[in-house]
Amino acid sequence: MPTEPESTSILPPLSRVGLDDLLGELMTRTEQIQASRDRMRAPLDAVVAVGSGLDLRGTLSRIVVAACELVSARYGALGVLRRDGTALAQFVTHGVSEEERAAIGPIPHGHGILGLLIRDPRPVRLGDIATDPRAYGFPEHHPTMHTFLGVPLRIRDEVFGNLYLTEKAGGAEFTDEDEQVVMALASAAGVAIENARLYQRGQQRQQWLEGGAEVVEAILGDSQRDESLELVAHRARELAGADLAAIFVVRG
C-alpha cells in the first residue's frame, strides 16, 4: 500500500531567540499601555476629588492636595489674588504643619518668584528657587525649597489665583509633562471654584433673608428694645463674618 509523502512546512521554524524577543516586546508594550492608563486615571481621579464638595475653603485645599499628588511635590500652595489682582489675599498650603505656618509668620504678599505669576500669569518652572536672581528670599523658619512649578488658576477669563508646587520627589526637576498635567487640573479646578463660590453666595443670601426676617419679627414683636438691638448686632456680626458689631443709639 503506497504511503503518503511526509508534509513539509512552508514556514521556517520560529527561533527561540526570536520568540523571547517578541514576548519581551509584548510585555514592554503592555506595561507602557498600563502606565499610560494610570497617568490618565490620576488626573481624572484628581478632578473628581476636587469637585466632590461645595465648601470653598475645602475646594481650595483639595486642589492643592491633588496637584501635589499628581506631580509628587512635597509642598504646595494656592495663592488667591486680591480683587485688584496685585497681591495675594489668601494662601492655602499643603505639606506645612500648623506649627510651621505659625513660625513662618504672615502669608506672603506675592514678592519674588510668587509675584512672577501675578505680574505675568504664565507657567513657571525652576530648577532652584534659591539661586534664581528674581527670588525674594525665604522668611525665618521656612522649609528649604529648590525645585518649583507655578501655574495660574483661572475662572473663565479671570485669574483667580496661582498654584505653587515645590520639592519634587527624589530631587528631580518638574517636567513639561508635570506642567501640562497641573495646567489641566487648574482648568478643572476653575470650574469647581466657580461652583463653590456660587453655592456660597446662595447660602449667604439665604442666611441674610432668614436673619432679616428674625430681626423684623423681634422689632415688631413684644421684645424689649435692648433685646432687639442685641439681636440685630449679633445677627449682623454673624452674617458679615465680623469679629465685632456695635450699635450706637442716639438719645433724643
Side-chain angles (χ1 to χ4, degrees), residues 148-223:
F148 175 86
L149 169 61
V151 302
L153 200 161
R154 289 181 170 86
I155 299 178
R156 299 186 182 182
D157 295 330
E158 169 197 357
V159 178
F160 175 82
N162 300 307
L163 266 171
Y164 306 112
L165 305 167
T166 64
E167 292 301 281
K168 186 174 176 66
E173 295 187 16
F174 292 103
T175 65
D176 181 66
E177 182 179 354
D178 292 332
E179 180 181 315
Q180 297 303 318
V181 167
V182 176
M183 285 293 292
L185 175 66
S187 297
V191 176
I193 292 172
E194 183 175 29
N195 289 338
R197 289 203 303 186
L198 290 173
Y199 176 77
Q200 185 180 60
R201 289 168 185 165
Q203 291 290 95
Q204 289 174 340
R205 291 193 195 99
Q206 182 64 29
Q207 290 171 358
W208 276 104
L209 289 173
E210 292 175 355
E214 186 178 359
V215 168
V216 170
E217 183 180 353
I219 293 174
L220 298 180
D222 298 328
S223 300

Side-chain angles (χ1 to χ4, degrees), residues 14 34 54 66 69 75-77 121 127 130 140 147 153 162 176 178 186-187 196 199 209 211 233 239-240 242 252:
L14 186 62
Q34 184 61 46
L54 290 173
E69 292 178 348
Y75 302 108
E140 191 177 3
T147 55
L153 200 161
N162 300 307
D176 181 66
D178 292 332
S187 297
Y199 176 77
L209 289 173
L239 294 172

Side-chain angles (χ1 to χ4, degrees), residues 6-230:
E6 294 183 1
S7 61
T8 58
S9 174
I10 60 174
L11 296 175
L14 186 62
S15 71
R16 184 66 189 178
V17 174
L19 180 59
D20 288 343
D21 290 343
L22 182 61
L23 290 175
E25 182 178 354
L26 179 60
M27 291 296 295
T28 299
R29 290 181 178 274
T30 302
E31 292 172 356
Q32 290 174 345
I33 292 172
Q34 184 61 46
S36 177
R37 287 178 177 175
D38 292 341
R39 285 194 298 268
M40 292 175 62
R41 180 63 183 270
L44 292 176
D45 289 343
V47 169
V48 172
V50 164
S52 62
L54 290 173
D55 172 69
L56 182 56
R57 177 75 185 192
T59 298
L60 298 181
S61 296
R62 287 191 294 273
I63 292 170
V64 180
V65 173
C68 287
E69 292 178 348
L70 281 176
V71 297
S72 302
R74 182 177 180 182
Y75 302 108
L78 196 161
V80 181
L81 295 179
R82 294 192 324 198
R83 290 186 179 274
D84 60 9
T86 60
L88 299 177
Q90 190 176 355
F91 205 63
V92 181
T93 62
H94 173 69
V96 180
S97 67
E98 291 297 326
E99 293 76 13
E100 289 174 318
R101 281 288 303 272
I104 292 170
I107 69 169
H109 293 289
H111 299 298
I113 301 300
L114 300 187
L116 291 178
L117 278 86
I118 297 177
R119 297 186 295 273
D120 186 10
R122 291 184 294 177
V124 176
R125 271 189 289 143
L126 300 173
D128 192 349
I129 307 174
T131 60
D132 192 283
R134 298 165 295 183
Y136 189 75
F138 294 111
E140 191 177 3
H141 306 299
H142 196 285
T144 301
M145 296 178 179
H146 297 284
T147 55
F148 175 86
L149 169 61
V151 302
L153 200 161
R154 289 181 170 86
I155 299 178
R156 299 186 182 182
D157 295 330
E158 169 197 357
V159 178
F160 175 82
N162 300 307
L163 266 171
Y164 306 112
L165 305 167
T166 64
E167 292 301 281
K168 186 174 176 66
E173 295 187 16
F174 292 103
T175 65
D176 181 66
E177 182 179 354
D178 292 332
E179 180 181 315
Q180 297 303 318
V181 167
V182 176
M183 285 293 292
L185 175 66
S187 297
V191 176
I193 292 172
E194 183 175 29
N195 289 338
R197 289 203 303 186
L198 290 173
Y199 176 77
Q200 185 180 60
R201 289 168 185 165
Q203 291 290 95
Q204 289 174 340
R205 291 193 195 99
Q206 182 64 29
Q207 290 171 358
W208 276 104
L209 289 173
E210 292 175 355
E214 186 178 359
V215 168
V216 170
E217 183 180 353
I219 293 174
L220 298 180
D222 298 328
S223 300
Q224 297 295 320
R225 187 189 68 169
D226 288 349
E227 293 179 358
S228 299
L229 293 177
E230 184 178 350

Side-chain angles (χ1 to χ4, degrees), residues 240-252:
D243 295 326
L244 175 67
I247 297 177
F248 294 91
V249 179
V250 179
R251 300 189 181 278

